[in-house]
Amino acid sequence: DAKTTQPNSMESNEEEPVHLPCNHSTISGTDYIHWYRQLPSQGPEYVIHGLTSNVNNRMASLAIAEDRKSSTLILHRATLRDAAVYYCILGDYRDDKIIFGKGTRLHILP
Amino acid sequence: DSGVTQTPKHLITATGQRVTLRCSPRSGDLSVYWYQQSLDQGLQFLIQYYNGEERAKGNILERFSAQQFPDLHSELNLSSLELGDSALYFCASSLHPAAGTYNEQFFGPGTRLTVL
């Protein structure tokens, strides 16, 4: 499975935008880029996914580099509730299982 | 609330014992996945079932087994338990695996297993 590289941790202030980077230089043409997050004491939850184009949903935006070797998850206005571990994952659309890495622990400062 | 339920919430047992963890997927979901989360290994995919059949296998030990029943609930059986099996076990479900379409996974709240 193709690997992703994320910073171990990041900090951001409440009510400010957050940009979470992810590098995936060995991405293949059939790999989706998924983001999940895990709030404290909860199971992971889906955030967003994309293949080639930038994507927006009610939770976040996903900006994908033109060469697809990196992507950025954007939380437009962080709240304290967004403090979590964010996982950037590559997954072949023909294969449903998720291989989690270590993720980025996001701290939100009030 | 993801719609995925797991029981029990907590389980404490001794080494050498056998336990069964239960998962009920979201209504309508045909695929069930099991993951193990420990402090040193992070979140690891164990096994996936789709409509009663095993579909994918990850880092699942031979001491562990799973099945999915006709009503689509799933059970993860852990036997000959060791101290290192202490972890959070998550179940997830998704609609169905279909090439070319995306299926997000919905995770349950987890079962915390402590082996003493």
Side-chain angles (χ1 to χ4, degrees):
Chain A
D1 294 302
K3 295 285 188 280
T4 63
T5 304
Q6 299 179 253
N8 288 336
S9 68
M10 290 182 63
E11 256 182 20
S12 183
N13 294 319
E14 197 178 8
E15 298 186 8
E16 289 187 0
V18 182
H19 288 62
L20 294 159
C22 182
N23 286 320
H24 29 79
S25 58
T26 58
I27 191 169
S28 74
T30 54
D31 281 335
Y32 277 103
I33 302 157
H34 328 238
W35 285 81
Y36 279 73
R37 72 179 185 180
Q38 188 173 17
L39 302 173
S41 304
Q42 294 189 28
E45 65 175 349
Y46 166 81
V47 177
I48 201 166
H49 77 280
L51 192 58
T52 54
S53 308
N54 294 345
V55 185
N56 299 300
N57 67 18
R58 63 173 181 80
M59 283 180 74
S61 295
L62 177 59
I64 301 172
E66 207 169 317
D67 64 4
R68 298 186 72 233
K69 294 187 176 184
S70 64
S71 61
T72 303
L73 178 72
I74 303 163
L75 307 179
H76 294 287
R77 198 166 161 270
T79 68
L80 294 177
R81 200 196 167 273
D82 292 320
V85 179
Y86 287 78
Y87 297 96
C88 169
I89 301 149
L90 298 185
D92 191 313
Y93 68 80
R94 298 166 296 185
D95 185 359
D96 300 308
K97 64 180 184 290
I98 297 176
I99 305 299
F100 287 89
K102 296 199 182 305
T104 295
R105 184 172 295 277
L106 177 64
H107 303 274
I108 305 295
L109 306 174
Chain B
D1 183 358
S2 67
V4 177
T5 59
Q6 290 187 246
T7 55
K9 213 168 177 174
H10 302 278
L11 199 45
I12 301 174
T13 188
T15 54
Q17 295 298 303
R18 174 190 168 92
V19 297
T20 297
L21 313 185
R22 183 189 167 103
C23 169
S24 292
R26 285 190 327 151
S27 176
D29 283 356
L30 300 177
S31 253
V32 169
Y33 311 76
W34 286 97
Y35 294 86
Q36 178 193 57
Q37 185 169 35
S38 60
L39 280 173
D40 54 343
Q41 295 288 328
L43 260 166
Q44 293 217 75
F45 167 71
L46 295 178
I47 197 163
Q48 176 195 1
Y49 277 81
Y50 165 64
N51 209 18
E53 300 287 326
E54 182 184 303
R55 180 171 167 89
K57 219 168 188 174
N59 300 322
I60 188 165
L61 299 172
E62 282 193 21
R63 300 184 285 109
F64 296 0
S65 65
Q67 52 184 326
Q68 186 179 26
F69 295 86
D71 67 352
L72 300 176
H73 91 271
S74 178
E75 292 181 357
L76 179 67
N77 300 296
L78 315 175
S79 61
S80 304
L81 284 167
E82 301 175 0
L83 295 177
D85 298 327
S86 296
L88 264 171
Y89 291 85
F90 289 105
C91 166
S93 71
S94 68
L95 189 55
H96 59 79
T101 65
Y102 185 81
N103 291 282
E104 69 182 90
Q105 292 185 24
F106 296 85
F107 283 76
T111 293
R112 181 172 293 282
L113 174 67
T114 303
V115 182
L116 301 175

